[in-house]
Amino acid sequence: MKKLSAQSKNKDGYNVEVGCIDEVHEMANSKVYDAIKQSQSIKAEPLIFIITTEGNTVVVF
């Protein structure tokens, strides 16, 4: 298990099987989602959980 931060300059290079993105309402863009999705491109059955508490910001994936 590894933590991937939005402030991280290099989000590439991971080989993610299951991703979980928390507090999505705080995201200003989809860079973390895009990095996880790209890292799962060769997986047969990739899985991403997108969870959040109540918030107002909307990020379109």
Side-chain angles (χ1 to χ4, degrees), residues 34-47:
D34 294 340
I36 292 172
K37 188 73 173 169
Q38 177 63 33
S39 73
Q40 293 180 326
S41 63
I42 62 170
K43 299 293 183 179
E45 296 182 23
L47 186 61

Side-chain angles (χ1 to χ4, degrees), residues 2-53:
K2 290 191 179 209
K3 181 174 90 170
L4 185 64
S5 170
Q7 283 76 33
S8 177
K9 289 187 172 122
N10 186 5
K11 297 175 195 65
D12 300 324
Y14 291 111
N15 190 5
V16 178
E17 185 76 35
V18 178
C20 181
I21 304 173
D22 189 17
E23 299 300 340
V24 175
H25 73 276
E26 293 288 333
M27 293 174 60
N29 56 46
S30 64
K31 287 182 181 180
V32 173
Y33 174 83
D34 294 340
I36 292 172
K37 188 73 173 169
Q38 177 63 33
S39 73
Q40 293 180 326
S41 63
I42 62 170
K43 299 293 183 179
E45 296 182 23
L47 186 61
I48 299 177
F49 292 98
I50 300 174
I51 59 178
T52 190
T53 54

